[in-house]
Amino acid sequence: MNKSLDNLRRDAGFSGANAEYIDQLYEAFRDSPESVAPEWRSFFYGFEQGAGSNGAPGTVPTQPGVIADPLTGVERLIMAYRMLGHLHADIDPLGLTERPRPKELTPEYYGLDEQALAQEIDVVSIDAERPLPVTEVIDALERVYCSTVASEHMHISASDERRWIERRLESTRGYWADQHSAAVRIDTLRDLTAAEGLERFLHRRYVGQKRFSLEGGDSLIPLLDEIVQGGGQRGITDIVIGMAHRGRLNVLVNLLGKAPSELFSEFEGSHGSDQRSGSGDVKYHQGFYSNIQTPGGPVHLSLAFNPSHLEIVGPVIEGGCRARQDRHEEDATDLVLPVIVHGDAAFIGQGVVTETLNLSKTPAYGTGGTLHIVVNNQIGFTTSHPQEARSTLYCTEVAKLIQAPIFHVNADDPDAVLFVTRLALDYRRTFHNDVVIDLVCYRRQGHNEADEPMMTQPQMYHRIRNMDTTRTLYAKRLVEEGLIAATEPDKMAEAYRQSLEHGKVVVREFLHGSRTGYEAHWEQYLNARPGDMVNTQVPIDRLRELGERAIRVPDGFELQRGVAKVVEERHRMLAGEQPLDWGMAEILAYATLLKEGHAVRLSGQDSIRGTFAHRHAAYHDQNNFETHIPLTELFEGQPRFEVINSILSELAVLGFEYGYATSMPNTLVIWEAQFGDFANGAQMVIDQFIASGYLKWERLCQLTLFLPHGFEGQGPEHSSARLERFLQLCAELNMRVWVPTTPAQFFHLLRDQIKRRFRRPLVVMTPKSLLRHPLSKSSLDALSNGALAVVQPEIDDLESGRVRRVVLCSGKVYFDLLVERRERGADDIAIMRVEQLYPFPRRRLGELLSKYAKAQEIVWCQEEPRNQGAWYQIQHHLRVLTRDDQTLGYAGRAPSASPACGNAALHRMQQQALVEAALSDEPVEDPGERLDDTDEHHLNW
């Protein structure tokens, strides 16, 4: 890359993928000017002319054979406006940032004199009917690209998309108000009146209470209203909105139709006082569902519940939208629209935004384009200045990752805001790509209403407190234009205040009495009881029939040798010639659920094959690129089966799957971690949504997590799924935590999860080495005649009266204990597996323990360090179950700051030691009654 092109990229603000694209175009131009589009060709000629030997405008171009005629100069100037106009646009209502005019936006830079400017030229995007004087063209481009709208679209590689945007922008000549009827503009004033009126009302009535005011960003309300009304006009039936807390109360009341009286009761602390269970949540985290009438018919609106973790709601609403789209048999991307309202610092600062953008064009996660609205307060969060919050010119640079167009708009020009919103809706419908509206505004109050912003931004807030509000400015404009009488704005404000006083719904288009989508789809699960049992058995003939279809290989399809062996073994399993392994039991679970009308969606890294090459849900022909997924072709008209290799992300993908599960009750939705501890990367979704979503918001969810877990000497990061963290999150029947140890248990567990009406998330510590362990097998009969067992009893024929110790455990360590006990012939020690760790099966375990009336000890054995795993979370149950004449002991690893050791030899030694302790002749100590080395270190700190 030559130095002058580096300068071009820097001056034009090019970065990232955009810069790479410019580099490639320029290299192609140097090889063959005709190989690039005319607008780029003109621009590069102009660039080389401006970067001649002395860098002066008007020098002879370096490209041989090029004539520096006035027309070429005009073409280069037009291109410069499209590329650089945003750098000089009037998009900041505060006017705090100096935005100097780039030299490329002056006719003199291209050597254009008065005679050249007087010429008439054809610019179809501005006027398709007649040529225009160059001066008129420049005036139009100045208004289009350097007024209250700043367009960034030249980073888009698709020329048809760029030209489409240019035609839409330039055909207006920058007269944004002329694009709207008088009625629309008066409605816009009404929306601004509502936005401002609610905040002022709350400010007076609830002094000092947090509400995270929208003031300064009031144009968000007419913007969202245009999305709803304009979306309905364009055929959209469902809109799902995700946003953080700023402005949420305003959106709830003035867009979705939440009754002000309900909001007031939340401020006063009287709302939900009769709630019998659950924690509830603060008012500015609450979601809402409603139906709004539009010119195209009713539109169902959903505002997703969201914790204070800002952008984490993005992938959740994308998953909810994808689920709504998947309910339709035909392509429904034009029916369901995701809208995400971002904060400026959060949009660029939080990695989940980039992860979610990266999902947008992948087949299993795409939603046909998302409208991103950045409420750009120009303060990062509490006190941060923009230069402290990012390393880029704009907060929206990350959207260039997917070549989304970006429209920066001055929030104090509602006419421009409305125009850009319509442009975004049409772009999304036409090209099914994401689009970003950067609503450049300000924050009239502090971070919250108890915060004093003058402490940290005195200059900014001196200016803000002397500024008229957006509503005031717009009302003056409409009065001056004669659209309304001078008294009308005050009448609107008083009418809105009266509506608030009455507490009734203030959204005129709100459809009273209509059922929400959530109620309609989840009604049968709302009053289910946790103790209701379901039958998960499947007749053996049906298992064999479905199993054969689920592993069928098409004629002429050549499998890889190892996969062919797996398929051959699965045929023998179905014939009863060898026991079932985990992979086959899982395939049978999915096949039987599909037959019974339940869809299945499984996603994760390497989930199609399986991280441990155990699933093989898809076959890949060795001679071509064909792929066959047998579970998608079991029978005609079957429910949807999806198995997905996800992007290399945990946070956004798990958020997406949570959103999908909460919107698709009849689908078994599964997210699988490559190794269980990879769930660490999605802890925010686990804590804020999966574990607490029902208790906070009463959102039902049947999402299942597969977390490979087991200590096989693979080191700290490939051993533990952090079982202790999930158990710590468990309370009030919020989810189930399982550690199944046989394929049959896994089969019944998956079927139980979707067939039971009491819907809660399920966390499964799935196996690794057990996938092929010779003792961890099951028969077909266990699937057809067996049942799900929360505790697995002793399987060997022991004389119960001789048993002196009962060892309790979960997971893989059971087989280590079983093998060692059999080798020793220790028939005085019984071993039982607790498969469901939450809710803890105290009653069932007590029944099984009562069989061993002469047992003197109960020992809990686990592979995990004592401060991890299940011990600390379940020991209170074990102490209740221990008789007065019995002792309770612990056999396992000592407390550790790391999940597991990284040395294979040390791992084997530790594993053998804990097995030895559990089976020893000596009493096993209760760690609560002794001081170990770790405790000594603690005391000596």
Side-chain angles (χ1 to χ4, degrees), residues 464-774:
I464 288 173
R465 286 171 182 175
N466 290 316
M467 289 176 61
D468 286 335
T469 65
T470 306
R471 173 190 171 273
T472 300
L473 294 171
Y474 196 61
K476 287 180 179 177
R477 185 184 304 174
L478 297 192
V479 170
E480 289 170 359
E481 294 178 15
L483 288 182
I484 58 174
T487 57
E488 187 62 24
D490 289 341
K491 289 181 180 178
M492 281 187 185
E494 177 59 21
Y496 183 79
R497 189 188 67 78
Q498 290 290 339
S499 298
L500 292 180
E501 291 284 2
H502 289 103
K504 301 277 179 71
V505 173
V506 297
V507 176
R508 291 174 299 166
E509 300 84 2
F510 181 81
L511 295 174
H512 294 269
S514 57
R515 300 178 72 207
T516 69
Y518 186 85
E519 292 169 346
H521 286 92
W522 287 96
E523 188 172 40
Q524 62 175 305
Y525 307 103
L526 294 179
N527 297 311
R529 295 178 298 179
D532 291 343
M533 303 299 292
V534 295
N535 181 8
T536 58
Q537 297 174 348
V538 179
I540 199 164
D541 290 343
R542 178 177 292 182
L543 286 172
R544 287 189 169 125
E545 177 190 359
L546 290 173
E548 290 293 343
R549 295 182 187 179
I551 62 174
R552 187 184 69 83
V553 181
D555 294 338
F557 200 98
E558 184 174 343
L559 297 176
Q560 188 268 343
R561 184 174 57 182
V563 178
K565 182 180 178 182
V566 168
V567 174
E568 181 182 340
E569 289 177 347
R570 289 180 175 177
H571 282 296
R572 290 201 294 269
M573 293 174 193
L574 292 172
E577 297 172 5
Q578 66 183 64
L580 295 173
D581 63 9
W582 288 76
M584 189 59 199
E586 182 183 353
I587 294 295
L588 286 171
Y590 298 149
T592 55
L593 287 174
L594 291 166
K595 185 64 176 177
E596 293 166 11
H598 303 284
V600 177
R601 177 183 169 97
L602 165 62
S603 75
Q605 295 148 20
D606 295 331
S607 286
I608 295 178
R609 186 200 69 176
T611 295
F612 311 102
H614 66 285
R615 182 170 292 121
H616 299 293
Y619 303 147
H620 302 278
D621 195 300
Q622 299 300 291
N623 297 322
N624 52 48
F625 293 101
E626 289 185 16
T627 297
H628 175 63
I629 303 177
L631 283 167
T632 63
E633 300 181 13
L634 291 178
F635 53 91
E636 188 174 349
Q638 71 170 63
R640 182 189 304 268
F641 175 80
E642 288 184 285
V643 57
I644 302 151
N645 286 338
S646 73
I647 68 169
L648 194 63
S649 155
E650 291 79 40
L651 184 59
V653 172
L654 183 54
F656 188 102
E657 300 303 342
Y658 173 84
Y660 193 98
T662 56
S663 301
M664 194 70 94
N666 200 38
T667 298
L668 177 60
V669 184
I670 303 166
W671 176 73
E672 180 176 52
Q674 194 169 54
F675 284 86
D677 60 291
F678 286 18
N680 290 347
Q683 198 67 45
M684 196 186 306
V685 178
I686 294 167
D687 291 351
Q688 305 299 330
F689 291 95
I690 295 172
S692 58
Y694 180 76
L695 280 304
K696 292 189 294 187
W697 312 314
E698 296 185 334
R699 296 303 93 177
L700 295 175
C701 176
Q702 76 285 12
L703 179 63
T704 297
L705 274 60
F706 286 175
L707 308 178
H709 177 86
F711 284 57
E712 286 105 351
Q714 296 191 55
E717 271 63 73
H718 286 159
S719 297
S720 176
R722 294 293 192 173
L723 172 62
E724 65 281 354
R725 293 182 181 173
F726 290 95
L727 293 177
Q728 185 184 38
L729 292 170
C730 289
E732 302 180 85
L733 301 179
N734 63 331
M735 57 183 174
R736 295 193 290 168
V737 179
W738 272 74
V739 191
T741 53
T742 66
Q745 282 281 85
F746 196 46
F747 171 86
H748 290 296
L749 180 60
L750 293 178
R751 288 177 50 75
D752 178 89
Q753 174 65 359
I754 195 66
K755 289 175 71 66
R756 66 168 51 237
R757 291 176 59 247
F758 188 77
R759 293 299 179 83
R760 294 295 186 273
L762 169 64
V763 178
V764 187
M765 302 286 122
T766 52
K768 297 183 293 181
S769 63
L770 286 193
L771 293 169
R772 296 175 177 83
H773 196 289

Side-chain angles (χ1 to χ4, degrees), residues 454-469:
M454 293 290 285
M455 292 180 183
T456 51
Q457 281 95 15
Q459 292 79 16
M460 174 182 281
Y461 277 86
H462 275 303
R463 182 166 300 190
I464 288 173
R465 286 171 182 175
N466 290 316
M467 289 176 61
D468 286 335
T469 65

Side-chain angles (χ1 to χ4, degrees), residues 191 195 214 217-226 247 250-251 254-255:
D191 284 340
L214 183 61
D218 310 66
S219 288
L220 178 66
I221 298 303
L223 188 160
L224 290 174
D225 189 40
E226 178 60 32
N250 214 307
V251 170
N254 289 321
L255 183 77

